[in-house]
């Protein structure tokens, strides 16, 4: 299966077979759309629809991930520019950047070039990286985050809580937002889990970061998270990831 995917990936990148879907993030108290996350979808002519959980790790290992990340970002930028041109509202969109891409020496230059090409305001782009990233080289990660911030970009730490880092590493890495991993949200009804989530929320708040609960699926999880003091969440309970056209057509923002 891996070999099949790997073979098709080369063509897929060349033919731009990837599509950016977006999943809105919702403010729990006011119900407003806080932002969105871009998620890659791949409908291969030969393999059909392939899950990112399958093709992203293969693309990472094969050294193709930079192309995919940037194709997704470009689609988001085109969309934002069109909405702005039409006088429509835009909200910040997070793009997932794999660690090997984030650490690539050309990452920031490529990013700036693309953003300038579409006259985008960096404030509307959130660079989302996984928590495990800091394990590679925390000093370098710190420098990158400072640079991104000084250029006006927002930053987000994905799947927080399942990596091997400690809460205190957040002090050194000044992300704009922190995304609490879905595994905590699924077990939020358990006392111990709720306590951990509350601690993460408090820590994030004192560091002036926005916390986002990932993968909220039920009303019960929604109510519990609100009680604990979580402000923003993303999950099937509100929206599934959807094509950009659907956001426009249904006037979701
Ligand atoms: P992620 O960044 O943590 O994205 C969240 C995943 O959870 C998405 O899976 C999303 O569809 C799913 N999800 C959202 N709400 C719920 C929910 O309520 N319940 C459940 N069960 N799942 C929910 P998806 O789209 O399959 O993506 C999987 C992973 O692939 C992402 O995890 C991300 O790490 C990676 N990925 C996706 N697109 C890109 C990309 O363009 N570049 C890179 N480097 N990685 C990407
Ligand atoms: Mg993500
Ligand atoms: Mg995540």
């Amino acid at each position: 299966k891996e070999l099949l995917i790997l073979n098709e990936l080369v063509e897929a990148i060349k033919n731009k077979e990837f599509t950016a879907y977006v999943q809105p993030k919702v403010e729990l108290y006011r119900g407003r759309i806080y932002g969105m996350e871009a998620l890659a979808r791949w409908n291969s002519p030969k393999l059909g629809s392939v899950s990112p959980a399958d093709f992203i790790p293969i693309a990472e290992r094969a050294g193709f991930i930079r192309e995919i990340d940037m194709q997704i970002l470009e689609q988001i930028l085109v969309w934002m520019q069109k909405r702005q041109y039409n006088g429509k509202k835009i909200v910040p969109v997070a793009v997932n950047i794999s660690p090997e891409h984030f650490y690539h020496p050309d990452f920031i230059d490529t990013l700036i070039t693309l953003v300038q090409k579409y006259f985008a305001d960096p404030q509307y782009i959130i660079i989302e990286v996984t928590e495990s990233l800091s394990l590679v080289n925390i000093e370098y990660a710190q420098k990158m985050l400072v640079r991104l911030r000084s250029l006006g970009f927002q930053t987000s730490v994905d799947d927080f809580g399942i990596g091997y880092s400690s809460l205190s590493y957040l002090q050194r890495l000044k992300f704009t937002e922190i995304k609490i991993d879905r595994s905590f949200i699924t077990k939020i009804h358990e006392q111990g889990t709720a306590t951990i989530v509350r601690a993460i929320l408090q820590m994030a708040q004192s560091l002036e970061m926005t916390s986002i609960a990932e993968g909220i699926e039920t009303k019960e999880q929604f109510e519990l998270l609100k009680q604990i003091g979580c402000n923003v969440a993303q999950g099937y309970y509100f929206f599934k990831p959807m094509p950009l056209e659907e956001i426009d057509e249904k006037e979701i923002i």
Side-chain angles (χ1 to χ4, degrees):
K1 186 177 169 193
E2 177 155 350
L3 265 176
L4 272 177
I5 292 177
L6 187 58
N7 276 334
E8 294 310 311
L9 267 180
V10 184
E11 282 297 302
I13 289 167
K14 216 168 47 188
N15 302 335
K16 303 206 168 178
E17 287 168 14
F18 303 96
T19 309
Y21 271 44
V22 281
Q23 185 179 35
K25 301 172 190 168
V26 180
E27 288 183 17
L28 297 190
Y29 294 90
R30 294 191 281 183
R32 275 201 328 199
I33 307 286
Y34 169 87
M36 298 191 193
E37 176 176 12
L39 295 156
R41 294 291 176 264
W42 177 27
N43 197 359
S44 156
K46 275 213 193 122
L47 306 172
S49 154
V50 187
S51 159
D54 291 327
F55 74 81
I56 295 286
I58 297 172
E60 286 177 342
R61 284 195 291 273
F64 298 148
I65 196 67
R66 293 174 56 220
E67 269 84 359
I68 299 176
D69 288 353
M70 287 309 184
Q71 284 187 19
I72 296 301
L73 173 62
E74 187 154 22
Q75 291 176 29
I76 296 297
L77 291 168
V78 169
W79 178 64
M80 278 185 173
Q81 192 182 33
K82 207 165 83 196
R83 280 191 68 97
Q84 267 187 316
Y85 181 80
N86 291 325
K88 298 241 179 78
K89 189 181 169 198
I90 56 169
V91 294
V93 178
V95 289
N96 290 284
I97 303 292
S98 292
E100 34 281 284
H101 184 183
F102 186 78
Y103 282 118
H104 191 280
D106 294 342
F107 168 57
I108 290 196
D109 286 344
T110 319
L111 175 67
I112 295 173
T113 310
L114 208 52
V115 166
Q116 284 177 346
K117 182 176 169 192
Y118 296 98
F119 303 99
D121 179 348
Q123 293 271 20
Y124 288 98
I125 302 298
I126 307 174
I127 302 300
E128 183 161 320
V129 292
T130 139
E131 182 193 357
S132 61
L133 175 112
S134 62
L135 296 171
V136 185
N137 185 343
I138 189 157
E139 246 98 68
Y140 190 69
Q142 206 171 6
K143 273 196 200 124
M144 287 287 290
L145 290 180
V146 171
R147 245 193 103 194
L148 285 168
R149 194 174 273 248
S150 73
L151 290 164
F153 292 97
Q154 300 196 55
T155 52
S156 175
V157 57
D158 207 356
D159 309 330
F160 186 81
I162 53 164
Y164 300 94
S165 50
S166 66
L167 278 183
S168 65
Y169 105 125
L170 281 184
Q171 253 176 322
R172 296 186 58 192
L173 300 174
K174 301 267 184 228
F175 290 98
T176 322
E177 62 175 46
I178 154 174
K179 299 184 74 176
I180 305 168
D181 191 72
R182 186 165 71 87
S183 56
F184 293 98
I185 312 310
T186 320
K187 290 188 295 183
I188 196 75
H189 55 276
E190 292 174 12
Q191 179 104 56
T193 308
T195 306
I196 295 171
V197 171
R198 204 179 278 124
I200 298 176
L201 291 173
Q202 280 164 2
M203 174 98 179
Q205 198 184 14
S206 66
L207 293 169
E208 294 176 334
M209 296 175 187
T210 305
S211 336
I212 296 165
E214 283 195 280
I216 147 165
E217 290 180 351
T218 67
K219 183 154 172 43
E220 189 198 3
Q221 290 166 353
F222 170 71
E223 295 297 345
L224 285 171
L225 281 161
K226 236 175 22 176
Q227 258 176 41
I228 300 175
C230 181
N231 293 329
V232 186
Q234 179 184 347
Y236 297 166
Y237 178 67
F238 301 109
F239 297 100
K240 287 199 166 171
M242 59 183 103
L244 296 170
E245 300 78 46
E246 199 171 324
I247 301 278
D248 296 335
E249 280 156 19
K250 294 192 178 158
E251 298 187 0
I252 285 171
I253 49 172

